[in-house]
């Protein structure tokens, strides 16, 4: 049995070429340190105005990675096991500023900065068993399992009125929506429930949603983190490998899983 430990490995991107900076919509951002001007027109006439505010202190994002691994063989090397645990923290993520007050005059030309951060962690393992029938024939059963999670530590945004609206403290690209409590039973149930502002003329049998913030109505302020993120949480692969002197037969079965998480404090879902 052997172990491998790599602690606090720091990775700083220091190359150019095909590396491209992109905005939150995936568009290329060229020369973000430059302030650019464009033509504008209004009732006051035409002229020039800033259409992008340059950022002079941009830098590469920094990732600190920690890995711990175990390699082991048992029963005359018939059983082979490898397990790796990892943790990554990334800081100085490139994003557009979002909470600069309108009084700053930058509402339409918000600059970019290295202010975002997130972390990810998980494990990856392989367990294999090989049985040799004779010198010309063997069978190997190998299973691979990967578990990975992530959490946004900080992502600057505006318009956060309740903790559950924040992109910080939840998985990257977490799904959001309203919480369904069931179906309306009758007209009395509809009258005694908070008003659902996103639809009219809902009737018994329609979906009844939860008033998360308790303001007596169902609207965008009741949208909470509901579901898994766009990133897979679990991936498992099973291989059956048969070998002979003249051929190799491989059978592969793969499964990917996601799951839902709610953190309930009192009567509120904070996520």
């Amino acid at each position: 049995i052997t172990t491998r430990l790599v602690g606090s490995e720091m990775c700083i991107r220091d190359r150019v070429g095909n590396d491209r900076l992109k905005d939150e919509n995936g568009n290329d951002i060229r020369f973000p340190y430059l302030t650019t001007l464009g033509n504008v027109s209004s009732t006051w006439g035409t002229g020039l105005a800033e259409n992008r505010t340059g950022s002079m202190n941009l830098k590469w994002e920094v990732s600190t990675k920690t890995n711990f691994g175990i390699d082991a063989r048992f029963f005359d090397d018939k059983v082979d096991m490898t397990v790796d645990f990892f943790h990554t923290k990334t800081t100085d993520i490139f994003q557009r500023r979002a909470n600069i007050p309108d009084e700053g005059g930058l509402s339409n030309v918000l600059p970019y900065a290295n202010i975002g951060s997130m972390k990810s962690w998980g494990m990856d393992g392989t367990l294999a068993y090989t049985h040799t029938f004779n010198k010309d024939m063997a069978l190997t059963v190998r299973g691979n399992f990967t578990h990975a999670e992530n959490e946004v530590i900080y992502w600057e945004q505006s318009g956060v009125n309740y903790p559950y609206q924040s992109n910080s403290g939840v998985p990257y690209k977490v799904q959001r929506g309203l919480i369904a409590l069931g179906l309306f039973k009758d007209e009395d149930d509809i009258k005694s429930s908070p008003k659902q502002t996103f639809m009219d003329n809902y009737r018994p049998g329609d979906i009844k949603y939860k008033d998360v913030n308790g303001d007596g109505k169902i609207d965008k302020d009741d949208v909470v983190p509901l579901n898994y993120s766009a990133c897979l949480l679990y991936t498992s692969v099973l291989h059956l490998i048969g070998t002979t002197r003249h051929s190799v037969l491989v059978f592969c079965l793969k499964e990917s899983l996601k799951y839902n998480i709610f953190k309930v404090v009192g009567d509120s879902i904070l996520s």
Side-chain angles (χ1 to χ4, degrees):
I1 300 176
T2 62
T3 60
R4 293 170 283 108
L5 175 63
V6 179
S8 299
E9 175 187 354
M10 181 172 291
C11 300
I12 304 176
R13 297 181 60 195
D14 59 354
R15 60 189 177 89
V16 294
N18 291 329
D19 289 350
R20 295 181 176 180
L21 293 177
K22 295 181 180 294
D23 65 9
E24 58 275 11
N25 297 316
N27 301 314
D28 290 342
I29 301 297
R30 293 177 58 83
F31 313 113
Y33 53 87
L34 295 178
T35 296
T36 59
L37 302 177
N39 295 320
V40 295
S41 60
S42 67
T43 55
W44 299 95
T46 59
L48 295 175
E50 293 182 357
N51 54 25
R52 188 178 72 189
T53 302
S55 301
M56 298 301 297
N57 298 316
L58 296 179
K59 53 187 176 180
W60 294 113
E61 64 184 36
V62 178
S63 292
T64 302
K65 301 183 178 182
T66 302
N67 296 78
F68 177 79
I70 300 175
D71 295 325
R73 291 178 180 271
F74 308 97
F75 308 113
D76 296 327
D77 292 344
K78 290 184 177 181
V79 178
D80 182 0
M81 181 184 72
T82 299
V83 181
D84 286 284
F85 301 90
F86 65 88
H87 183 279
T88 302
K89 181 179 180 181
T90 303
T91 59
D92 299 326
I93 296 176
F94 182 75
Q95 73 157 123
R96 187 190 292 270
R97 299 298 304 270
N99 59 7
I100 297 178
D102 292 342
E103 290 79 5
L106 300 175
S107 300
N108 298 322
V109 289
L110 291 171
Y112 290 87
N114 298 97
I115 54 177
S117 60
M118 69 179 299
K119 61 182 179 180
S120 60
W121 64 94
M123 61 84 65
D124 180 78
T126 300
L127 180 65
Y129 172 78
T130 301
H131 180 75
T132 302
F133 298 96
N134 52 53
K135 65 178 182 179
D136 296 326
M137 182 179 297
L139 175 66
T140 299
V141 180
R142 177 181 295 116
N144 300 90
F145 178 81
T146 300
H147 167 64
E149 296 187 48
N150 70 78
E151 179 181 318
V152 177
I153 299 174
Y154 180 75
W155 188 261
E156 186 171 295
Q157 64 186 121
S158 59
V160 177
N161 299 317
Y162 302 94
Y164 52 80
Q165 294 178 327
S166 175
N167 289 330
S168 303
V170 296
Y172 176 65
K173 288 188 176 180
V174 66
Q175 304 294 317
R176 296 174 183 267
L178 297 169
I179 301 174
L181 298 177
L183 304 177
F184 286 112
K185 298 178 181 179
D186 48 37
E187 291 293 340
D188 290 337
D189 190 16
I190 293 177
K191 292 179 182 179
S192 62
S193 300
K195 178 178 175 56
Q196 301 188 158
T197 60
F198 52 86
M199 62 183 297
D200 296 322
N201 300 323
Y202 45 92
R203 301 176 180 179
D206 286 335
I207 299 176
K208 178 180 179 180
Y209 294 102
K210 182 175 181 177
D211 181 13
V212 177
N213 61 357
D215 63 354
K217 59 184 178 180
I218 310 298
D219 56 15
K220 62 181 180 62
D221 285 336
D222 297 301
V223 173
V224 300
L226 278 183
N227 217 320
Y228 47 78
S229 73
C231 304
L232 291 175
L233 292 173
Y234 294 99
T235 301
S236 58
V237 182
L238 177 65
H239 291 91
L240 296 178
I241 306 172
T243 59
T244 65
R245 175 181 294 184
H246 303 292
S247 63
V248 177
L249 178 64
V250 179
F251 174 78
C252 178
L253 179 63
K254 181 178 181 180
E255 178 71 18
S256 299
L257 300 174
K258 300 177 180 179
Y259 65 92
N260 306 337
I261 293 180
F262 298 92
K263 294 181 181 177
V264 182
V265 178
D267 295 326
S268 299
I269 293 184
L270 301 181
S271 181

